């Protein structure tokens, strides 16, 4: 078995302590069980493998990508396995664990000023593509990003809930996860409700973004999302801590944000089965104040 064969088929775990509506089941899909530790393993592998298959890139080529963290770790891992040279650009307020993980996989990491946000990191990656001969996967506009979830995450959710899923809740960053899962689940049952999360104004939640119009991911199709719930940084942090203490699920803040949205959603339902994406593992945030 190859390492990439371990990507996907992550477990669904039913929450037993946090849910507040006994008529609504809430399941977390534990994407931290992927070999690179996050949901981004799926997109990273599909983007690189598809580019190789098309002949867009070949082993030994130089790739560049802007990332807030998890995609970078996944790309570093997959690029290493498939014989590519990876350069990753990210804001300098990213946790030390993330930077060291990327470097451990052999990637070069360029840090940009945090106050300029990942939008500046994206601009720099584009400049390196245009001026220095790098190939940019461009997760924000790459169809292979969301199709990874159409091929894998969506079918797994449908299979593991025996088609009983009524709501799917996901953080929205690149929007690849929610776009791909929505496409698949809506094809199986158009009444399944797709719910995204975004930060309230002024909140900073790694993995969840409120993009300025010019940087809105090109793969995002608002018609595939039935509802968007705003989540504050404080609510996401508190829920992430509760996940660890009450359910034994150590995850990142975007997962707490998604679960907070799932709980708010459940309050209004008479019955249902909600699947919530738990994007990654919390151990890559231990140097931050997330669990402090």
């Amino acid at each position: 078995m190859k390492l990439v064969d371990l990507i996907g088929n992550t477990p669904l775990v039913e929450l037993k302590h946090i849910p507040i509506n006994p008529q609504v089941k809430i399941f977390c899909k534990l994407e931290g069980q992927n070999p690179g530790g996050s949901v981004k393993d799926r997109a990273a592998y599909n983007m690189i493998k598809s580019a190789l298959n098309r002949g867009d890139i070949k082993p030994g080529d130089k790739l560049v990508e802007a990332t807030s963290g998890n995609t970078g770790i996944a790309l570093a891992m997959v690029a290493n396995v498939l014989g590519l040279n990876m350069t990753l650009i990210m804001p300098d307020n990213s946790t030390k664990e993330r930077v060291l993980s990327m470097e451990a996989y052999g990637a070069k990491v360029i840090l940009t000023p945090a106050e300029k946000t990942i939008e500046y990191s994206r601009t720099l990656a584009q400049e390196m593509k245009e001026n220095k001969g790098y190939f940019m996967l461009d997760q924000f506009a790459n169809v292979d990003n969301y199709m990874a979830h159409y091929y894998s995450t969506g079918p797994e959710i449908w299979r593991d809930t025996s088609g009983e899923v009524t709501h799917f809740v996901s953080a929205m960053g690149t929007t690849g996860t929610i776009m791909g899962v929505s496409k698949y689940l809506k094809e199986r049952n158009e009444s399944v409700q797709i719910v995204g999360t975004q930060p309230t104004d002024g909140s900073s939640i790694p993995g969840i973004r409120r993009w300025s119009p010019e940087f809105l991911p090109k793969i995002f199709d608002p018609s595939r999302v039935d509802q968007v719930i705003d989540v504050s940084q404080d609510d996401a942090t508190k829920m992430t801590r509760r996940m660890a203490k009450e359910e034994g699920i150590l995850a990142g803040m975007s997962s707490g944000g998604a679960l907070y949205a799932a709980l708010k959603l459940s309050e209004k339902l008479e019955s249902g089965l909600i699947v919530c994406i738990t994007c990654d593992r919390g151990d890559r945030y231990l140097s931050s104040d997330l669990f402090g």
Side-chain angles (χ1 to χ4, degrees), residues 225-272:
V225 179
D226 297 295
Q227 182 181 353
V228 176
I229 296 176
D230 285 4
V231 180
S232 73
Q233 184 174 340
D234 185 58
D235 286 332
T237 299
K238 289 178 179 177
M239 188 56 64
T240 305
R241 293 172 179 174
R242 287 188 64 190
M243 289 175 71
K245 292 179 179 179
E246 298 178 40
E247 300 286 354
I249 298 174
L250 191 67
M253 197 192 302
S254 64
S255 301
L259 180 55
Y260 175 85
L263 289 173
K264 297 297 290 184
L265 176 67
S266 72
E267 293 176 1
K268 302 176 182 179
L269 301 178
E270 294 184 2
S271 63

Side-chain angles (χ1 to χ4, degrees), residues 10-11 29-39 41 250-251 255 278-284:
T10 55
K29 189 159 177 59
L30 302 186
E31 290 298 298
Q33 299 299 310
N34 282 302
S38 83
V39 67
D41 286 12
L250 191 67
S255 301
T278 302
C279 299
D280 60 4
R281 298 194 306 258
D283 54 5
R284 56 189 50 168

Side-chain angles (χ1 to χ4, degrees), residues 42-59:
R42 299 175 186 264
Y45 178 61
N46 196 50
M47 287 191 296
I48 290 179
K49 187 62 175 176
S50 297
L52 284 167
N53 289 343
R54 287 191 298 266
D56 296 340
I57 55 175
K58 62 184 184 303

Side-chain angles (χ1 to χ4, degrees), residues 6-7 16 26 32 42 101 111 124 144 180 185 187 193 219 230 258 267 280 283 289:
L6 299 175
I7 297 173
K16 294 295 187 180
I26 300 178
R42 299 175 186 264
S101 295
L111 298 177
L124 182 57
D144 296 323
L185 292 182
E187 287 180 1
Q193 295 294 289
I219 60 173
D230 285 4
E267 293 176 1
D280 60 4
D283 54 5
D289 60 0

Side-chain angles (χ1 to χ4, degrees), residues 35-156:
S38 83
V39 67
K40 299 298 187 178
D41 286 12
R42 299 175 186 264
Y45 178 61
N46 196 50
M47 287 191 296
I48 290 179
K49 187 62 175 176
S50 297
L52 284 167
N53 289 343
R54 287 191 298 266
D56 296 340
I57 55 175
K58 62 184 184 303
D61 281 357
K62 300 185 301 181
L63 277 61
V64 66
E65 190 73 13
T67 174
S68 61
N70 283 329
T71 300
I73 294 172
L75 287 172
M77 178 188 73
V78 174
N80 182 301
V81 170
L82 298 181
L84 296 152
N85 299 303
M86 192 77 234
T87 295
L88 298 159
I89 306 175
M90 61 195 300
D92 62 12
N93 62 345
S94 302
T95 61
K96 186 176 181 179
E97 293 93 335
R98 290 186 175 201
V99 175
L100 291 176
S101 295
M102 296 173 198
E103 293 177 338
Y105 282 123
K108 178 182 178 181
V109 179
I110 298 174
L111 298 177
T112 55
E115 62 270 19
K116 293 187 177 182
T117 76
I118 192 177
E119 294 183 358
Y120 175 71
S121 304
R122 289 173 63 180
T123 299
L124 182 57
Q126 182 67 33
E127 290 175 356
M128 290 179 67
K129 171 191 172 183
E130 294 173 356
N131 302 324
K132 297 185 178 181
Y134 284 79
F135 181 86
M136 188 170 71
L137 293 161
D138 194 4
Q139 59 179 318
F140 303 95
N142 193 329
V143 172
D144 296 323
N145 178 350
Y146 75 78
M147 288 304 291
H149 302 284
Y150 178 79
Y151 295 138
S152 64
T153 318
E156 290 169 25

